[in-house]
Amino acid sequence: MAIFFNPQSIQKQLLPLFCQMNWCYHGGMNKRRTSFFLCVVVFVFGKPAWSDPVSYQDDVHPILAERCYKCHSGDDRKGGFSMNTRESFLAGGEFGPTVELGDAGSSLLMELITSEFDDEWMPPKGERLTSEQIEILRTWIDDELVWDAEPSAHSTWKFPLHLEDIKVPRGKGLHESKHPIDRLLGRYFDEAQSAVPELVDDARYIRRVYMDTLGLLPEPDEVDQFVANTSRNKYDELVEAVLMDHRSYAEHWMTFWNDALRNDFEGTGYIDGGRKQITNWLYTSLFENKPYNEIVNELLAPKRNAEGFINGIKWRGAQTANQQIPLQAARSVSQVFLGVNLKCASCHDSFVDGWKLSDAYGLANAFSETSLELVRCDVPTGNQAMTKFLWPELGEIDASAPLPERQQQVADLVTHPDNGHFARVLVNRVWKQFMGRALVEPLESLQEKPWDPALLDWLAGDFVENEYDLLHLMRQILTSQAYRLESDNRSTFDEPYVFAGSLPRRLTTEQLYDAMSNVTGVWQVEPKFTPRRHSESRSEETVRAWRVPADPFMRSLGRPNREQITLTREVDFSSLQALELTNGGTLAAYLKHSSEMLLESGPVRPETLFKHALGRSPSSAEQVILNEYGAQVSVPTDLEDILWILFTHPEFQILF
Amino acid sequence: MEYLKMDRRDFMKTASAATLAALTSGAPREGHAAEDAAAPPATADTLIVLWMAGGMAHTETFDPKRYAPYEKGMSPDPILSTFPSIPTAVDGIRFSEGLDKLASVMDRGTLIRTYTAGDLGKILHSRHQYHWHTGYAPPLTVAAPHIGSMVAKVLGPNHPDLPAFINVGQRLDQGEGEELKAFHTGGFLGSEFGPFMISDPAQAEAVVRPPAGMTGARYARRREAYNKLVNANPVARYGSTYQRESLLRSMDNADRLLSSSASEAFDLSREPKEVFDTYNTGRFGLGCLLARRLCETGARFIEVTTEYIPFENWDTHENGHTRLADQKKQIDGPIAQLVLDLEERGLLDRTLIVLASEFSRDMLTEGKPGQKVPDQVEVPDVLTEMKHYGMHRHFTDAGCVLMFGGGVKKGHLYGRTADERPCKTIENPVYIEDLHASFYHAMGISPKHNFLVEKRPFYVTKDGLGVPIQDLFA
């Protein structure tokens, strides 16, 4: 957990500033209060004297983070001075030691932050530190720079731009496996001195593989055959067979990519032509297993029918500066493909990370017909943005080139082989889909230390070496013992997170719908998109939930309206969702119709449905409960109720 | 108000143990509580928004100006109001004809005449409605919560079995439905705090009953079998307790609402016939009756809308005069009755009722004077037909907000508009962030209350800058 997220520290120091200076969420074009004038911060702060020893984490760090880190942390060491560690703090910079331990009065730092001279005082930009903040730093130095920041390893964690070359440990890893992921995780568990979880049984393994990869349930006889199969290669063979079904794979992953690329059949913006779908291009790209770098290249230097992503969403009427399409493009590209959150920086220099207004506009300029003027918090600065990439060391963007060439240059830089973030971000996100929790969270901004940095970079490196083959990446994860580990059943988690098997995954509403359809044989109707025929696919004769616009059931159960980029869906169930399940008209009508269809071929045995839905036979206790509806059910309402009981069952709604 | 003392085990309880959510989904965290963001003492426990969807002309309702009766061949220039004005219970405050019952309760309320809508350029009603209901204009980089969701999240319901935020009257499958969906949402606060949607108040009872056609006995049997099967589930031994509990707790909440006596609040057939008839001017009128029942039982935020459908209801692109006469009939009696009923029950003092609209209308000015936006309605130089007679353009430089109860002054007028076209705000303009700040103030929520989303604070009023308008409060 980032030190920034420490609630006490935010409470004490950072947010009084934010709350006057937050420019992030400009909604309106109501110019009455541009909030820029509020740069004149009135520091409302109750606690007067710092008689208690100050805490680095709670008191000092927020000041440094907000006012100093831009130039003196991570790789930035202006004047040769870095605040990364206590040692670097003490070492000082080009001007000699910055602090005298225990003697704030003789410390250069105090001199600079209290200086009267404009060309001398620190920080050089923005407001002076408040007297409150100055007193905190004075006390801190007098107290000999107590560096009580346990998570400082976190706050100074920085991904190198390139991927690290990872040496996989020799020998065997988890459960005697030679799979590289398992060898890396073997070391991880050794170092954490934690017990390796058991492996799940084969019935649960096959269910996981089907649901995670294809978004469908395995048929009961497929489960039986797999369980009965004694071949040692059966896991690899299963994964191979599943990954052959490109259509089902593509249909399942459309949900993931539609969320990320905020693509849908309906939504805001379409009313005025302020938005364009990319459905056909996206589906085709997944179906053909187009290399990921090619996919991104076609989105950024857009191929026909892929323009919808960088062209953003335009509502009728005026747009604020940061609602302009090029700014939207800069934010979307960086968030989805680079794990960089430019939402703050597209309005003003960010307080929570190092990104600056000029970085956001530099990237946005590459997507703009005409050069953009820098606008800070809706106030034009009079300065033109300089076109540049987030990491200029990867290469330049020629500001004078025509728009398509500039887009191509951005695409080349985003997918540049030396840009390790590109692959990291993707493998991290795919890992989360299969394992419930990513190697680095949160997803929208790749900043925190991964729980196993070596595993992340190995996965990313392997992905690059295999030509950005998404199915290869999935195969790597699916065939590891790590993927087969018993799920982590903790309900609370200490920070930092420690891996102990995958987390149970709540089904997306599309998975849920499709899994219900697997059991009932009743699929959606009136699709908005029809994939090309693929006779080998198990999805051939179906209309899956992603192919229709969100109905009230899907909307309630979590299909986002895709006005924004969605990288993670809600994991909590809510009361309103439970109401939709309990008495919502959509599900009730679906169950009624399904029940009638099932009964067309005669009475139904409840345990058959049970086995199909939950992937196992009922226990004797469960069988008794099912039998209350009779061994053979022929009353339509009884069948509806049995389907409801199964479909709202935790074992159905959550993938363990 | 015994229920106010009850333990908040709550409809909202599912969201309380969000450890997994925080770990894996970037769920929002409560922001800071700096001194200047301390909660003010609440003057209201419940907020009822009565939404005049489509743009309610101020000069035709609560801010009448010079009346010019229709004559064939007249110029639109002298027409500021198409109705004569009538006195209200308060000296110096006049309403437009057709709002007689509301006029008679004006001595219980505060009228703002200077709501100034955002400058969003060429008009899209739903975008202005989004702005009004969230304080932010789309597109946004994170999903903004509806004001009802904010209130629900911060305060929870007054009655533990009820959803805190109930939205009455708006269907989402109408024109601009996608835009409407974009703000009828809990946004980043999550679905727990989203609106509980009741499109037809006359059918409200159905949303808290078993699905159509299911008897109570069958529902109970289904539920019992579910509980037994879940309890017998061997997966419970090793599956995550967290998500399982989250699901089961939610299912219990849903079940509790269906079986709670609180659900009777949704059943309008329990009203005496004469009361039902008093409110029954149509869906909106019945919505007011439903709001009264929900308020009595303990919902926290209730919105009742005349419903936004492009070119319908208050969205008058022609026939403005004739249609407004109808609209007034829809709202006048039920709202006045709602005020009186709550007063009689001793609830008005702790219930803030707010009538508002996304902007106003004028016959000639589109947008703001001096900042005109492209006309969307043709207005002839000479009126030759009755259908030309009315306020058909979108006007954003003044608008009325009528408030009752919940600590606002009684018989009070705030803000002044010009008496000649453009009849714009000339004194005490009110912007959305200050209007919201005033609502939050009444509800005991600081305008600086905020949540951390993607590490950035998101405030209940735009950028935390809303300031309550103290002059509204007694």
Side-chain angles (χ1 to χ4, degrees):
Chain A
M1 189 51 55
I3 195 160
F4 282 103
F5 241 22
N6 178 316
Q8 286 84 35
S9 63
I10 286 171
Q11 212 156 319
K12 275 192 174 169
Q13 276 290 330
L14 201 51
L15 277 161
L17 275 167
F18 271 148
C19 95
Q20 299 289 336
M21 297 177 64
N22 168 40
W23 304 310
C24 295
Y25 293 101
H26 281 285
M29 277 137 282
N30 183 338
K31 294 264 171 54
R32 182 178 61 121
R33 291 198 190 111
T34 60
S35 62
F36 185 53
F37 69 92
L38 281 164
C39 271
V40 184
V41 174
V42 184
F43 208 85
V44 186
F45 201 78
K47 198 171 161 189
W50 290 94
S51 46
D52 301 331
V54 299
S55 147
Y56 171 81
Q57 214 176 316
D58 293 349
D59 306 317
V60 176
H61 174 82
I63 303 173
L64 304 183
E66 205 256 317
R67 302 308 308 275
C68 314
Y69 277 10
K70 268 177 225 164
C71 304
H72 302 290
S73 75
D75 291 344
D76 295 314
R77 34 175 67 233
K78 281 226 170 115
F81 176 51
S82 164
M83 298 181 173
N84 280 353
T85 61
R86 186 167 186 269
E87 288 64 43
S88 71
F89 210 108
L90 285 171
E94 291 159 11
F95 298 93
T98 322
V99 292
E100 294 292 326
L101 266 191
D103 185 3
S106 327
S107 293
L108 177 64
L109 181 84
M110 294 310 295
E111 208 179 310
L112 295 176
I113 63 177
T114 57
S115 170
E116 310 256 310
F117 302 106
D118 277 357
D119 58 349
E120 190 176 283
W121 61 265
M122 286 284 160
K125 287 183 189 159
E127 284 304 299
R128 310 292 302 258
L129 295 183
T130 65
S131 55
E132 207 72 60
Q133 292 172 317
I134 290 169
E135 284 318 301
I136 291 170
L137 295 177
R138 187 190 307 281
T139 311
W140 183 52
I141 296 170
D142 282 342
D143 289 350
E144 305 204 330
L145 230 57
V146 177
W147 202 281
D148 60 353
E150 180 268 323
S152 61
H154 277 242
S155 59
T156 55
W157 170 262
K158 197 160 179 180
F159 285 104
L161 185 52
H162 59 85
L163 292 177
E164 300 280 19
D165 189 14
I166 302 300
K167 294 240 172 343
V168 178
R170 290 166 172 281
K172 292 177 179 172
L174 302 181
H175 293 282
E176 303 298 307
S177 159
K178 288 184 179 167
H179 192 299
I181 292 176
D182 298 325
R183 279 148 62 197
L184 283 159
L185 281 178
R187 182 172 68 189
Y188 175 86
F189 276 98
D190 282 350
E191 286 175 1
Q193 294 183 325
S194 52
V196 177
E198 295 298 308
L199 299 177
V200 295
D201 63 41
D202 289 346
R204 278 176 65 209
Y205 175 75
I206 186 175
R207 186 181 179 86
R208 282 183 181 179
V209 171
Y210 269 73
M211 290 299 281
D212 281 334
T213 314
L214 309 180
L216 297 171
L217 293 173
E219 295 300 313
D221 58 341
E222 289 174 310
V223 179
D224 290 343
Q225 281 165 23
F226 183 71
V227 171
N229 187 343
T230 52
S231 157
R232 280 175 53 201
N233 292 331
K234 71 175 183 176
Y235 303 100
D236 291 356
E237 285 164 7
L238 173 75
V239 170
E240 243 9 89
V242 162
L243 292 179
M244 287 292 284
D245 187 350
H246 281 209
R247 173 163 168 176
S248 297
Y249 151 76
E251 293 214 40
H252 172 55
W253 285 78
M254 280 301 282
T255 297
F256 171 87
W257 286 109
N258 278 340
D259 281 5
L261 304 175
R262 47 130 206 69
N263 178 58
D264 209 334
F265 304 112
E266 293 175 350
T268 56
Y270 287 123
I271 190 172
D272 286 305
R275 179 170 178 176
K276 210 175 164 204
Q277 263 192 64
I278 59 170
T279 308
N280 189 36
W281 170 86
L282 182 56
Y283 175 81
T284 307
S285 300
L286 295 175
F287 179 80
E288 293 174 351
N289 192 31
K290 214 176 264 177
Y292 178 60
N293 57 344
E294 226 171 273
I295 290 178
V296 175
N297 187 64
E298 292 182 9
L299 278 171
L300 269 48
K303 272 261 171 16
R304 201 170 61 85
N305 295 332
E307 312 93 329
F309 175 63
I310 59 164
N311 285 349
I313 296 180
K314 193 166 179 293
W315 286 62
R316 184 188 303 168
Q319 315 291 321
T320 57
N322 71 36
Q323 286 173 340
Q324 297 172 87
I325 298 304
L327 265 297
Q328 287 192 33
R331 281 193 296 267
S332 301
V333 167
S334 53
Q335 187 185 0
V336 178
F337 303 119
L338 300 170
V340 170
N341 190 335
L342 289 182
K343 291 175 186 176
C344 290
S346 56
C347 205
H348 53 80
D349 291 351
S350 171
F351 300 136
V352 293
D353 53 34
W355 298 108
K356 297 188 168 60
L357 185 68
S358 55
D359 295 323
Y361 271 79
L363 182 56
N365 238 8
F367 291 102
S368 180
E369 282 287 353
T370 54
S371 178
L372 298 166
E373 179 186 0
L374 281 173
V375 176
R376 180 181 288 112
C377 305
D378 278 345
V379 178
T381 63
N383 299 322
Q384 291 297 306
M386 300 280 289
T387 309
K388 61 171 180 172
F389 192 56
L390 296 173
W391 298 283
E393 57 267 48
L394 287 174
E396 289 180 355
I397 303 166
D398 178 4
S400 63
L403 179 60
E405 277 178 41
R406 277 179 280 137
Q407 290 170 334
Q408 186 57 57
Q409 287 167 3
V410 175
D412 291 344
L413 292 168
V414 168
T415 60
H416 196 289
D418 292 341
N419 180 5
H421 299 321
F422 176 62
R424 273 188 198 112
V425 165
L426 186 277
V427 300
N428 187 52
R429 224 167 270 163
V430 170
W431 180 273
K432 182 184 175 93
Q433 290 302 303
F434 288 109
M435 308 296 282
R437 208 269 183 191
L439 286 135
V440 197
E441 300 253 5
L443 295 177
E444 78 275 349
S445 157
L446 218 63
Q447 284 184 312
E448 305 302 324
K449 187 176 181 180
W451 50 264
D452 189 347
L455 176 57
L456 179 64
D457 272 25
W458 181 83
L459 283 166
D462 182 65
F463 180 54
V464 175
E465 267 174 38
N466 288 279
E467 292 166 348
Y468 301 92
D469 180 342
L470 289 162
L471 292 179
H472 168 82
L473 168 65
M474 293 176 190
R475 183 182 299 114
Q476 289 286 31
I477 298 171
L478 292 167
T479 55
S480 70
Q481 302 292 302
Y483 180 74
R484 283 174 62 196
L485 294 179
E486 186 55 80
S487 53
D488 180 349
N489 66 1
R490 286 176 290 179
S491 25
T492 54
F493 296 84
D494 293 330
E495 300 288 354
Y497 167 82
V498 176
F499 175 74
S502 62
L503 293 179
R505 302 178 278 300
R506 178 182 177 177
L507 304 191
T508 63
T509 177
E510 291 88 341
Q511 271 174 313
L512 181 63
Y513 239 145
D514 289 348
M516 290 182 342
S517 299
N518 272 143
V519 177
T520 63
V522 175
W523 297 82
Q524 307 294 318
V525 291
E526 297 176 25
K528 293 283 182 187
F529 173 78
T530 302
R532 74 177 77 159
R533 298 196 67 79
H534 183 231
S535 56
E536 306 293 300
S537 171
R538 64 180 60 227
S539 298
E540 179 63 11
E541 302 301 330
T542 69
V543 177
R544 297 178 59 175
W546 79 271
R547 286 171 56 194
V548 299
D551 63 19
F553 177 80
M554 282 196 261
R555 256 205 336 277
S556 169
L557 271 291
R559 177 157 156 183
N561 75 10
R562 294 177 177 144
E563 163 98 343
Q564 285 86 19
I565 285 166
T566 305
L567 299 178
T568 314
R569 289 201 183 176
E570 206 168 8
V571 299
D572 279 331
F573 291 86
S574 71
S575 310
L576 293 180
Q577 292 174 337
L579 270 171
E580 187 70 35
L581 291 170
T582 300
N583 72 345
T586 317
L587 180 60
Y590 176 83
L591 296 178
K592 188 165 189 292
H593 180 60
S594 298
S595 165
E596 286 160 5
M597 297 301 286
L598 284 166
L599 287 172
E600 275 185 5
S601 38
V604 178
R605 297 173 64 83
E607 68 261 36
T608 310
L609 296 175
F610 184 104
K611 194 172 178 196
H612 203 161
L614 302 186
R616 63 178 176 87
S617 299
S619 68
S620 53
E622 288 167 328
Q623 184 68 58
V624 170
I625 298 160
L626 292 174
N627 282 350
E628 290 175 13
Y629 282 94
Q632 298 268 354
V633 177
S634 52
V635 180
T637 50
D638 283 354
L639 189 54
E640 280 171 50
D641 291 352
I642 292 167
L643 290 173
W644 182 87
I645 290 165
L646 293 172
F647 293 160
T648 55
H649 197 289
E651 201 179 332
F652 189 77
Q653 295 262 340
I654 302 160
L655 187 61
F656 292 99
Chain B
M1 302 270 272
E2 193 55 34
Y3 56 78
L4 287 179
K5 299 193 195 103
M6 291 177 77
D7 177 36
R8 288 258 309 277
R9 66 191 162 100
D10 256 1
F11 205 70
M12 300 291 171
K13 205 64 175 201
T14 45
S16 64
T19 39
L20 190 65
L23 185 71
T24 62
S25 73
R29 297 184 173 213
E30 195 73 29
H32 75 310
E35 277 196 5
D36 60 345
T43 59
D45 303 315
T46 309
L47 178 52
I48 300 176
V49 171
L50 304 172
W51 186 245
M52 304 296 114
M56 177 187 77
H58 62 306
T59 61
E60 302 281 59
T61 50
F62 303 103
D63 192 5
K65 303 292 183 188
R66 189 180 56 246
Y67 167 53
Y70 177 71
E71 289 168 36
K72 193 169 181 181
M74 74 194 300
S75 152
D77 295 331
I79 309 172
L80 302 179
S81 291
T82 71
F83 297 89
S85 70
I86 57 168
T88 70
V90 180
D91 286 345
I93 300 180
R94 297 181 72 83
F95 285 177
S96 177
E97 182 185 69
L99 296 168
D100 313 56
K101 296 197 174 73
L102 276 169
S104 72
V105 296
M106 183 59 225
D107 57 347
R108 276 92 161 168
T110 281
L111 173 63
I112 296 171
R113 282 183 166 158
T114 48
Y115 171 65
T116 306
D119 290 335
L120 308 185
K122 190 180 175 193
I123 299 295
L124 180 68
H125 282 273
S126 48
R127 195 175 186 211
H128 275 272
Q129 290 173 13
Y130 187 123
H131 184 227
W132 196 97
H133 283 90
T134 65
Y136 298 84
L140 296 175
T141 57
V142 299
H146 190 290
I147 180 175
S149 300
M150 287 290 198
V151 171
K153 168 77 176 173
V154 179
L155 300 176
N158 283 321
H159 188 295
D161 293 350
L162 283 185
F165 170 16
I166 299 176
N167 200 295
V168 182
Q170 183 69 55
R171 287 165 291 184
L172 297 176
D173 53 359
Q174 309 292 307
E176 293 175 44
E178 294 304 313
E179 284 70 19
L180 295 173
K181 285 172 198 165
F183 69 88
H184 281 90
T185 164
F188 63 77
L189 293 176
S191 64
E192 188 69 47
F193 306 100
F196 185 54
M197 301 289 285
I198 297 173
S199 52
D200 182 359
Q203 305 296 321
E205 200 216 351
V207 302
V208 292
R209 289 285 169 263
M214 187 181 286
T215 62
R218 184 182 148 206
Y219 173 82
R221 183 188 183 208
R222 182 179 85 167
R223 178 75 200 178
E224 197 197 331
Y226 177 73
N227 285 344
K228 283 200 279 188
L229 199 64
V230 166
N231 288 331
N233 178 16
V235 173
R237 286 203 308 271
Y238 44 82
S240 154
T241 50
Y242 178 82
Q243 286 197 330
R244 189 184 138 82
E245 288 311 312
S246 165
L247 171 61
L248 295 178
R249 196 165 48 230
S250 300
M251 294 297 280
D252 284 348
N253 285 344
D255 185 50
R256 203 170 61 238
L257 173 61
L258 265 57
S259 52
S260 166
S261 60
S263 69
E264 291 173 7
F266 294 84
D267 185 359
L268 298 188
S269 72
R270 290 173 180 268
E271 286 289 323
K273 182 171 186 310
E274 61 275 18
V275 176
F276 185 90
D277 290 345
T278 307
Y279 278 95
N280 190 13
T281 58
R283 289 186 356 154
F284 178 79
L286 291 180
C288 290
L289 178 58
L290 180 60
R292 195 209 76 206
R293 293 180 61 85
L294 292 169
C295 174
E296 287 175 88
T297 307
R300 179 66 78 171
F301 182 101
I302 305 151
E303 177 158 340
V304 182
T305 174
T306 56
E307 192 174 32
Y308 178 61
I309 304 172
F311 313 117
E312 300 283 329
N313 300 326
W314 292 99
D315 189 13
T316 53
H317 283 224
E318 59 175 20
N319 268 321
H321 173 79
T322 315
R323 284 178 44 194
L324 252 61
D326 272 350
Q327 285 302 119
K328 292 177 190 177
K329 279 188 196 136
Q330 293 275 320
I331 67 162
D332 186 45
I335 299 175
Q337 197 61 41
L338 174 64
V339 172
L340 293 173
D341 280 0
L342 290 178
E343 185 178 64
E344 188 192 329
R345 288 159 172 77
L347 293 170
L348 186 60
D349 285 346
R350 299 292 293 179
T351 304
L352 178 60
I353 301 174
V354 176
L355 175 154
S357 187
E358 65 264 34
F359 44 64
S360 182
R361 309 189 85 90
D362 181 53
M363 199 167 226
L364 293 175
T365 316
E366 175 86 8
K368 264 190 179 60
Q371 219 170 313
K372 268 176 66 82
V373 299
D375 286 336
Q376 295 187 43
V377 182
E378 284 291 318
V379 175
D381 296 338
V382 173
L383 310 193
T384 54
E385 290 178 74
M386 190 63 187
K387 73 173 184 185
H388 297 142
Y389 185 56
M391 304 296 145
H392 298 154
R393 285 187 172 156
H394 314 93
F395 187 69
T396 55
D397 207 355
C400 293
V401 180
L402 182 58
M403 306 162 83
F404 295 97
V408 300
K409 285 180 180 161
K410 296 177 178 177
H412 183 57
L413 178 64
Y414 185 86
R416 202 155 70 85
T417 56
D419 286 331
E420 291 297 333
R421 175 169 287 121
C423 301
K424 62 176 191 174
T425 295
I426 53 176
E427 206 172 85
N428 290 336
V430 172
Y431 300 94
I432 193 62
E433 58 268 35
D434 297 338
L435 191 63
H436 281 184
S438 304
F439 303 161
Y440 286 123
H441 182 78
M443 297 297 285
I445 301 171
S446 163
K448 294 186 191 303
H449 195 103
N450 63 85
F451 301 93
L452 289 181
V453 192
E454 297 175 15
K455 302 190 184 183
R456 304 173 303 154
F458 189 109
Y459 297 83
V460 297
T461 63
K462 184 185 160 206
D463 302 345
L465 297 175
V467 178
I469 305 164
Q470 295 295 343
D471 189 43
L472 302 177
F473 294 95

